[in-house]
């Protein structure tokens, strides 16, 4: 392993910074719970009981104690697989065995996720059948859990294999401009998946039934019509079959849009409170939050792929993690790369010890591994934007319902039912919360109402 290689250095810096930041933030959150976790802010007097806070602290601490070894072991495993050259060796072995880049890429993608999944298995089982059951959340049986895992595996194959094949075909035949075509295919793929998710994917795991007639349906239908939201129907999901956690969400695109309420949500909240929660979700629609995020994300996808188009041409990206261009047959001594389209067609340049196109899929994998350690930067920006959107949606809910108290009551109940913290550290929220913490949301809603 060449520790002077710039890509190896970037990987080590990113991985260490991400690991240290995660450990520090979780420890700060733990200390905050120990010191202030049982305090009830004046805004929540009479709404929250100390016994509920004690349960929340115990639940979060149990999750934290499980997270520590899970995070350490997964970080060590991934660093070992990458820095020891295991990934490079496996890719070379698969190519030598099959001689087919499609088979090589599909098997490699599946293999690359296998070590992490196997390592995570005992932690996932412990959390589901020990922590979640001890705190009254999990209704899962082992049979149901295994069935969900198998369904998820098959579903991933159905979705990922065609996408990998499309990516390989584009990488090996589209020349330097593969990034533009692959970005277009990926964006189209995400839209197709979003469209079919409500009717083809979600029902694989849960049962969805139309919301029965009654006051709740009348109130929600009236609210939806008032907001101009066009959805096929309002559905109830049997979330309680697996968990006591509750939620509500929109899903689908175009005529396939649906509003989904967890059955646990209906059991836990009053009609006024459910209306306020749905009004909050409609606030995202009225403020075009999803559309705006897509307007940001789609150009970012193309920008990332454009940068990758240059990175995958650099032999050092591969040699730093186990490939040897002089002794490895996967490297070409010279390679022709089409770069510029002119009046007489594309211009080809020849690069010594260049990386052939059939290796670019592995180069993309390496690049994502290298820069994943810097993901906290994107999270910091994305979470800030998401929290701003949540405040706007809360404001919309308060205006639609006449005042913010139904939403406040709903947020407090959901916070208690899900054992969420009242006042996590601000520094922790900056990196880990895409929703504002409960106290901040309540203060913002009540301030808005008092100003009006």
């Amino acid at each position: 392993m060449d520790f002077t290689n710039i890509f190896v250095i970037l990987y080590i810096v990113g991985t260490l910074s991400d690991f240290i930041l995660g450990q520090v933030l979780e420890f700060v959150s733990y200390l905050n719970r120990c010191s202030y976790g049982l305090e009830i802010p004046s805004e929540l007097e009479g709404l929250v009981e100390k016994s509920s806070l004690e349960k929340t602290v115990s639940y979060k601490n149990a999750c934290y104690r499980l997270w520590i070894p899970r995070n350490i072991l997964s970080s060590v495993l991934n660093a070992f697989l990458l820095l020891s050259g295991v990934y490079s060796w496996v890719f070379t072995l698969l190519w030598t065995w099959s001689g087919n880049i499609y088979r090589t890429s599909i098997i490699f993608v599946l293999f690359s996720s296998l070590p992490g999944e196997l390592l995570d298995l005992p932690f996932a089982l412990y959390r589901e059948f020990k922590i979640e059951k001890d705190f009254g959340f999990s209704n899962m049986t082992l049979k149901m859990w295994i069935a969900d895992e198998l369904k998820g595996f098959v579903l991933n194959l159905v979705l990922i294999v065609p996408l990998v094949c499309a990516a390989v075909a584009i990488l090996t035949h589209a020349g330097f401009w593969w990034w533009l075509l692959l970005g277009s295919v990926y964006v189209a793929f995400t839209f197709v998946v979003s469209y079919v998710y409500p009717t083809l994917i979600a029902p694989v795991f849960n049962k969805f039934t139309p919301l029965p007639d009654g006051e709740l349906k009348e109130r929600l239908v009236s609210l939806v019509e008032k907001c101009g939201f066009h959805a096929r129907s309002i559905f109830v999901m049997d979330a309680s079959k697996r968990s006591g956690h509750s939620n509500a969400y929109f899903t689908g695109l175009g005529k396939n849009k649906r509003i989904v309420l967890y059955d646990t949500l209906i059991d836990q909240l009053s009609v006024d409170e459910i209306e306020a929660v749905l009004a909050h979700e409609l606030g995202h629609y009225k403020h075009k939050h999803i559309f705006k995020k897509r307007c940001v994300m789609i150009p970012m996808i193309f920008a990332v792929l454009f940068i990758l188009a240059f990175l995958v041409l650099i032999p050092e990206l591969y040699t730093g993690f186990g490939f040897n261009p002089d002794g490895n047959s996967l490297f070409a001594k010279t390679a022709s790369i089409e770069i510029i389209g002119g009046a007489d067609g594309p211009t080809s340049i020849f690069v010594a010890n260049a990386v052939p196109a059939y290796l670019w899929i592995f180069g993309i994998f390496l690049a994502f591994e290298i820069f994943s350690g810097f993901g906290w930067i994107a999270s910091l920006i994305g979470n800030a934007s998401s929290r701003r959107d949540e405040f706007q949606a809360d404001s919309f809910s308060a205006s639609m319902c006449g005042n913010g108290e139904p939403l406040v009551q709903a947020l407090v109940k959901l916070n208690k039912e899900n054992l969420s913290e009242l006042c996590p550290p601000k520094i922790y929220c900056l990196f880990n919360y895409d929703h504002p913490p409960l106290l901040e949301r309540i203060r913002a809603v009540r301030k808005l109402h008092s100003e009006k």
Side-chain angles (χ1 to χ4, degrees):
M1 183 57 55
D2 181 9
F3 290 100
T4 63
N5 182 289
I6 183 61
F7 294 106
V8 174
I9 293 172
L10 284 171
Y11 173 75
I12 293 174
V13 170
T15 300
L16 283 178
S17 65
D18 183 61
F19 177 79
I20 293 171
L21 180 64
Q23 291 289 336
V24 170
L25 288 174
E26 292 296 336
F27 185 64
V28 168
S29 181
Y30 169 74
L31 291 179
N32 184 78
R33 282 195 301 273
C34 293
S35 300
Y36 308 107
L38 300 182
E39 293 184 4
I40 301 176
S42 58
E43 295 93 337
L44 297 176
E45 288 287 349
L47 297 176
V48 177
E49 306 80 27
K50 191 170 183 179
S51 59
S52 175
L53 296 183
E54 290 173 346
K55 189 175 182 181
T56 296
V57 169
S58 297
Y59 174 66
K60 291 297 183 181
N61 286 346
C63 293
Y64 173 56
R65 286 190 290 269
L66 181 66
W67 176 87
I68 294 173
R70 192 178 197 172
N71 177 255
I72 292 173
L73 291 176
S74 63
S75 299
V76 169
L77 175 65
N78 196 59
F80 168 77
L81 291 172
L82 197 62
L83 295 176
S84 67
V86 169
Y87 284 133
S88 299
W89 177 78
V90 169
F91 192 89
T92 304
L93 182 67
L94 290 172
W95 171 257
T96 303
W97 164 72
S98 71
N100 181 288
I101 191 57
Y102 292 93
R103 283 197 295 269
T104 297
S105 299
I106 291 170
I107 297 173
F108 178 78
V109 168
L110 295 176
F111 166 81
S112 64
S113 65
L114 186 60
E117 292 290 335
L118 292 176
L119 177 66
D120 194 59
L121 184 61
F123 294 103
L125 286 169
Y126 183 85
R127 171 149 187 167
E128 184 67 49
F129 292 100
K130 177 58 180 175
I131 296 177
E132 295 293 305
K133 283 192 177 293
D134 284 353
F135 287 91
F137 286 129
S138 178
N139 299 316
M140 188 81 74
T141 64
L142 183 59
K143 180 180 178 180
M144 190 185 302
W145 188 88
I146 293 173
D148 281 352
E149 292 296 310
L150 291 175
K151 290 177 185 177
F153 176 75
V154 172
L155 183 61
N156 282 332
L157 284 180
V158 171
L159 294 176
I160 291 175
V161 170
L163 190 60
V164 170
C165 289
V168 171
I170 292 169
L171 287 166
T172 53
H173 294 97
F176 178 78
W177 299 100
W178 64 263
W179 61 273
L180 189 60
L181 185 56
L182 181 57
S184 301
V185 169
Y186 180 75
V187 170
F189 175 80
T190 59
F191 275 102
V192 170
V193 171
S194 296
Y195 183 81
V196 303
Y197 178 82
T199 53
L200 296 181
I201 298 177
V204 172
F205 298 94
N206 289 96
K207 183 179 179 181
F208 296 82
T209 56
L211 182 65
D213 294 336
E215 181 188 4
L216 177 59
K217 182 175 182 179
E218 292 174 2
R219 293 271 293 273
L220 297 187
V221 169
S222 175
L223 175 66
V224 169
E225 291 176 348
K226 190 188 303 183
C227 295
F229 183 83
H230 303 289
R232 292 184 63 179
S233 187
I234 302 174
F235 287 84
V236 179
M237 187 181 89
D238 61 340
S240 60
K241 182 172 70 174
R242 291 176 173 80
S243 172
H245 293 292
S246 52
N247 198 7
Y249 65 90
F250 293 136
T251 185
L253 290 174
K255 296 180 179 180
N256 223 24
K257 286 187 291 191
R258 283 185 177 186
I259 297 169
V260 177
L261 307 175
Y262 284 23
D263 57 357
T264 49
L265 184 82
I266 295 175
D267 292 339
Q268 294 165 3
L269 304 184
S270 68
V271 173
D272 287 343
E273 292 161 355
I274 295 173
E275 183 183 41
V277 170
L278 182 57
H280 167 90
E281 298 299 330
L282 288 167
H284 290 302
Y285 165 74
K286 293 299 287 186
H287 286 287
K288 302 185 185 302
H289 290 154
I290 297 176
F291 174 77
K292 291 175 182 177
K293 285 180 179 178
R294 285 184 178 139
C295 288
V296 173
M297 290 304 300
I298 291 175
M300 284 185 63
I301 290 170
F302 284 99
V304 169
L305 290 174
F306 177 71
I307 294 171
L308 285 173
F310 289 94
L311 289 179
V312 298
L313 298 176
I314 303 174
E316 286 75 16
L317 174 66
Y318 306 84
T319 58
F321 298 95
F323 276 108
N324 180 359
D326 296 322
N328 198 308
S329 60
L330 291 182
F331 276 85
K333 291 299 181 182
T334 60
S336 173
I337 303 171
E338 293 182 351
I339 292 192
I340 302 171
D344 299 326
T347 298
S348 297
I349 64 171
F350 290 87
V351 183
N353 282 336
V355 181
Y358 53 80
L359 258 185
W360 293 352
I361 188 81
F362 184 64
I364 293 173
F365 167 79
L366 288 175
F368 275 109
E369 288 292 314
I370 291 165
F371 293 102
S372 63
F374 299 97
W376 56 268
I377 300 174
S379 295
L380 195 64
I381 299 170
N383 287 341
S385 174
S386 180
R387 290 193 299 270
R388 180 201 61 202
D389 292 348
E390 294 302 321
F391 281 127
Q392 287 185 334
D394 284 349
S395 175
F396 180 83
S397 174
S399 65
M400 291 300 296
C401 297
N403 66 79
E405 283 310 304
L407 180 62
V408 168
Q409 296 289 336
L411 292 174
V412 170
K413 286 184 179 179
L414 291 174
N415 200 83
K416 289 196 294 185
E417 293 294 339
N418 291 313
L419 296 182
S420 300
E421 294 181 75
L422 298 181
C423 307
K426 287 187 177 181
I427 185 67
Y428 186 85
C429 294
L430 287 176
F431 288 93
N432 293 289
Y433 272 46
D434 58 3
H435 282 54
L438 175 65
L439 194 57
E440 288 185 19
R441 296 179 72 175
I442 290 176
R443 286 172 175 169
V445 169
R446 286 180 170 169
K447 179 181 179 182
L448 178 69
H449 183 62
S450 64
E451 290 175 350
K452 290 185 176 180

